[in-house]
Amino acid sequence: MARRGLMLTAATLAVMAGTPSAAQEAPSVTAAAATQPSARNEANQAVIVADPALAEGGVVVGTAGMDGLDVFSLAGERLLTVPAGEAVSVDVRHDVDLAGGNGTLLVTSDVATQTLRFWTIADGALTEVGAAGESLGYAVEGVCFARDPRDGALYVVGVGDGGEIDQRLVYADGEGGIATRPARRLALPSSLKFCVADDRTGDLYVAEEAVGLWRFPSDPEAEAIPELIDAVGLGRVTEELGGLALMDGGEGARHLVASDASSGRLFVYDREADHAFVGAVIPTGPQGEALAEPGGLSAVGQALGGALSNGALVVTDEDAEGGANYKLISATALLAAVGRPVGQPQPLTAAAPERMPAVTARIETAPVAGYGDAADDPAIWVNAADPAASLVIGTDKTGGLYLYDMQGQVVQHLTDGKMNNVDVRDGVRVGAEEIVLVAASDRTHKSIALYRLDTEARRLVNIADGPQPTDQGDPYGMCLYQDAEGGTFVFINDSNGEKRQWRVVDAGDGRVRTERVRDFAFSSQVEGCVADDETGVLYVAEEDVGLWRLSAAPDGGTAMESVQAIADNPALQDDLEGVAIYDLGGGRGYIVVSSQGNDSYAVYRREGDQAYLGSFVVVADGPAGIDGISETDGLEVTSRNLGPGFEHGAMVAQDGRNLLPNARQNFKYVSWTDIARALDLEVRR
């Protein structure tokens, strides 16, 4: 996929083009309530924990510096103080998978130890869930939760004084506690203090204090393209950006609020109109007292008691007379002041969005040596005599081939050239013996690389009778085909869509060469392909167009038929990449295609009209420490037994972003049993 850099919203571009900044005079909005001051005069951020069981509909949990956490009623009365280290930031999520069932989870940052601490809350009482973890290794300023829209996985994001954006997977540790695993680390050049995430859209907003307001995808498997929404100097922000909050009143009433601390104003943006600026307000206390520098923010869209029947915004007032405290502003009053609809109160636990079925990988390989976009395509050799001793061949297109065992460990690494795609076939006759043939597209030498897999020594041995040139500028995708007469062929294509078919010929002395037998072409770039040896059909993925089928025979001509176009299936997003077949026998089975644009895998029926049967995604497994799969190039599927956990076969796929923690690219092994269960498919018995 194409790599993109900084993006600007239409709203930001309009400001840069000369749209007048927000007027310094803005309507004031009076808080409905204020909490009692912090005993140490320390307040940085608070959240409302909605709880219909409580008389007022919830409580306020606010950071109190070295005092830890204060819990207030919605009228502002301090109910209790809980030691929590030196707490400076807090966030909350309801309906979290906890020991004993779903519940409410809070996260706080302890700046004394630079750790994250997790808490459950019930009836206004806080209970710490497990001990504080290891130091984050940076000066953490703010924390926020983010749910992945793909699978509902919960992440916590910490932002730091050095510009760090540290995202971690959160999961129940099986012992009644909460654990995290590093997922990804991003960075901006200067200090960050606040963040907030939209679980519905997968947007993560970050406040770079002296620079501006940024948006990133919260899915750690997504490409982290920064998008600038507003900026100091160039936009409306005067000198210093403070807290961020999301106000959700349902469709037509979803807003982002940011604190322009230097001017004492709150800015409101329409999240459903490309974050267009819709107005500014001046927050004041219940008695009309000004907030000199409104700081940390949070919001809820749930119905609360009294004036907060449509939700509320919590604003930190560090300079409040009598001591730092938190102000509660009615969502109705705030949005009315800028002429925006408040919408409807939202349920405490929103209905989960429609998601593709999700599975997890059981094994991942050691990373390839190459950096960046390096790993590309796998092939699977099945050891029929000892399935657990089967092997996976993987390419490193920056320079090499790998043999991995079924535990993902490296058995052999060859540095013979920039190998892009690879395939394997058993029973290829060379001289008096039958061998396991492995072929790869070698972009370094613009050739077809040919190897024998020595199954005893578990090694690849080059058997090409000298270089086997493709006569192409950039040999790219390739796959093997064996016909009913025992002939073996290589399909290989240039990155311009030109495809050629070569016959593998015995060259004597244990070596092989290739003979060109057919040329045909696609209108744009292709890569992934698979040949169905039983039916004599070749399937090719044209990356921006769709999946095609045509004859695999050397005299099969150039006629091709569409299996499905990307434009005809909303579950497909270009690029279409890897293609593989799951064989149920008798011509039955499934075709699996990687849909790179939405990190998913589409499944089609192998026989008949090759109907689309559904798509699935591969997501992170926190306890196992194996991340999901994203931006897949190549994949392979087999229905044969590969040993424990893979008795009915597997899908092996390249992972474009190897996380938990961040590392170079690798390959993941997914049990077909899990895929079949997710999509109600068959397994081969």
Side-chain angles (χ1 to χ4, degrees):
M1 295 177 68
R3 303 285 175 179
R4 296 173 288 172
L6 167 66
M7 295 178 65
L8 304 177
T9 67
T12 307
L13 289 169
V15 172
M16 293 180 177
T19 300
S21 63
Q24 293 300 312
E25 295 300 323
S28 63
V29 179
T30 302
T35 69
Q36 291 180 311
S38 162
R40 288 182 180 266
N41 196 32
E42 292 185 67
N44 194 62
Q45 189 179 23
V47 294
I48 293 177
V49 180
D51 186 349
L54 298 177
E56 295 178 312
V59 293
V60 177
V61 179
T63 62
M66 289 187 289
D67 276 353
L69 296 171
D70 282 332
V71 180
F72 303 95
S73 71
L74 293 185
E77 177 188 1
R78 183 184 292 104
L79 304 176
L80 70 154
T81 298
V82 179
E86 189 174 352
V88 299
S89 187
V90 60
D91 201 7
V92 63
R93 282 297 184 274
H94 302 282
D95 196 28
V96 176
D97 184 15
L98 303 168
N102 287 9
T104 299
L105 185 69
L106 290 94
V107 62
T108 61
S109 58
D110 181 351
V111 297
T113 58
Q114 306 305 340
T115 58
L116 302 177
R117 301 177 72 164
F118 295 92
W119 312 79
T120 56
I121 184 168
D123 299 325
L126 287 168
T127 303
E128 189 161 13
V129 187
E134 296 181 2
S135 171
L136 297 173
Y138 64 93
V140 62
E141 292 284 351
V143 292
C144 57
F145 280 126
R147 284 191 192 272
D148 187 342
R150 287 202 312 157
D151 65 339
L154 185 64
Y155 292 87
V156 62
V157 179
V159 295
D161 187 62
E164 298 88 354
I165 304 172
D166 177 51
Q167 186 165 357
R168 294 167 177 260
L169 178 65
V170 179
Y171 60 96
D173 64 8
E175 299 177 358
I178 291 293
T180 69
R181 288 187 185 274
R184 67 172 175 179
R185 176 73 68 90
L186 308 174
L188 288 170
S190 61
S191 179
L192 309 176
K193 284 201 170 182
F194 298 100
C195 64
V196 67
D198 185 338
D199 298 344
R200 183 183 61 87
T201 63
D203 288 323
L204 170 66
Y205 300 92
V206 175
E208 189 174 8
E209 189 176 26
V211 177
L213 173 56
W214 298 92
R215 177 172 67 164
F216 292 85
S218 65
D219 180 359
E221 298 283 358
E223 189 172 2
I225 304 168
E227 183 177 337
L228 185 62
I229 292 172
D230 209 339
V232 174
L234 295 173
R236 294 177 174 83
V237 185
T238 52
E239 296 177 15
E240 182 180 315
L241 190 65
L244 305 173
L246 301 178
M247 304 192 74
D248 189 353
E251 187 174 353
R254 295 186 173 108
H255 300 91
L256 168 66
V257 183
S259 167
D260 185 42
S262 303
S263 70
R265 295 176 296 167
L266 302 177
F267 292 160
V268 182
Y269 307 84
D270 186 347
R271 287 190 279 146
E272 295 178 308
D274 199 23
H275 299 85
F277 175 80
V278 296
V281 300
I282 298 173
T284 66
Q287 308 306 316
E289 66 274 21
L291 279 66
E293 292 189 6
L297 307 176
S298 70
V300 295
Q302 287 77 43
L304 304 170
L308 308 180
S309 59
N310 280 302
L313 178 75
V314 185
V315 185
T316 304
D317 185 2
E318 296 181 74
D319 301 311
E321 186 175 349
N325 70 357
Y326 301 102
K327 306 291 197 295
L328 277 65
I329 296 175
S330 159
T332 301
L334 173 67
L335 293 171
V338 292
R340 298 296 299 169
V342 69
Q344 299 295 322
Q346 298 300 293
L348 182 62
T349 302
E354 186 175 347
R355 301 182 178 120
M356 289 182 182
V359 299
T360 57
R362 297 197 182 190
I363 297 289
E364 64 178 336
T365 69
V368 299
Y371 287 88
D373 188 19
D376 196 276
D377 187 47
I380 302 169
W381 174 71
V382 179
N383 187 329
D386 184 4
S390 299
L391 297 169
V392 170
I393 307 115
T395 65
D396 178 346
K397 60 191 174 192
T398 67
L401 279 174
Y402 284 86
L403 276 183
Y404 299 101
D405 62 21
M406 287 307 298
Q407 290 72 51
Q409 299 304 305
V410 177
V411 175
Q412 183 188 20
H413 179 207
L414 292 175
T415 56
D416 289 356
K418 295 182 177 181
M419 303 297 180
N420 200 71
N421 279 194
V422 65
D423 206 356
V424 61
R425 284 295 187 277
D426 282 294
V428 176
R429 181 162 293 281
V430 177
E433 64 175 326
E434 290 188 346
I435 68 164
V436 178
L437 178 72
V438 174
S441 50
D442 181 349
R443 299 173 78 176
T444 298
H445 305 101
K446 299 182 180 180
S447 67
I448 302 169
L450 298 164
Y451 299 89
R452 173 176 59 85
L453 175 59
D454 184 333
T455 58
E456 295 293 328
R458 294 160 69 85
R459 289 289 184 269
L460 290 172
V461 179
N462 190 328
I463 59 169
D465 185 28
Q468 301 297 304
T470 61
D471 301 326
Q472 293 172 321
D474 184 21
Y476 198 59
M478 66 78 56
C479 54
L480 288 170
Y481 167 57
Q482 281 183 313
D483 65 18
E485 289 73 42
T488 303
F489 301 87
V490 178
F491 290 99
I492 192 161
N493 64 270
D494 199 311
S495 55
N496 63 9
E498 174 191 79
K499 205 168 191 74
R500 290 176 179 165
Q501 184 173 1
W502 302 77
R503 186 190 303 273
V504 177
V505 178
D506 186 349
D509 198 26
R511 296 194 166 270
V512 294
R513 57 184 175 82
T514 56
E515 294 179 349
R516 185 167 161 185
V517 295
R518 181 167 60 145
D519 288 14
F520 52 101
F522 294 82
S523 59
S524 63
Q525 182 165 302
V526 297
E527 182 177 3
C529 66
V530 64
D532 189 331
D533 295 348
E534 185 173 344
T535 64
V537 176
L538 174 70
Y539 298 92
V540 181
E542 189 171 3
E543 295 186 356
D544 297 331
V545 178
L547 181 64
W548 298 94
R549 65 180 169 224
L550 65 158
S551 172
D555 58 356
T558 61
M560 59 186 71
E561 184 179 357
S562 174
V563 174
Q564 188 165 59
I566 294 172
D568 294 336
N569 186 346
L572 301 179
Q573 291 184 20
D574 57 355
D575 297 346
L576 294 192
E577 292 279 350
V579 188
I581 293 173
Y582 186 86
D583 179 19
L584 287 171
R588 299 176 58 250
Y590 306 106
I591 303 166
V592 182
V593 184
S594 62
S595 173
Q596 194 179 68
N598 59 358
D599 300 328
S600 69
Y601 306 88
V603 181
Y604 297 86
R605 196 172 299 284
R606 178 187 182 194
E607 65 273 16
D609 60 357
Q610 290 160 339
Y612 170 72
L613 301 176
S615 296
F616 65 95
V617 295
V618 182
V619 299
D621 182 340
I626 301 177
D627 62 306
I629 313 179
S630 57
E631 207 167 271
T632 290
D633 286 319
L635 60 81
E636 183 59 285
V637 172
T638 183
S639 62
R640 298 173 66 187
N641 183 4
L642 296 174
F646 303 100
E647 291 86 352
H648 300 291
M651 179 183 81
V652 177
Q654 179 258 5
D655 185 10
R657 292 187 180 87
N658 184 22
L659 308 172
L660 296 183
N662 189 57
R664 297 186 299 277
Q665 294 181 346
N666 69 351
F667 301 90
K668 303 290 199 295
Y669 303 177
V670 183
S671 171
W672 185 264
T673 301
D674 297 337
I675 296 169
R677 186 180 300 118
L679 286 181
D680 194 23
L681 304 175
E682 294 181 58
V683 299
R684 184 160 189 173
R685 302 294 180 180

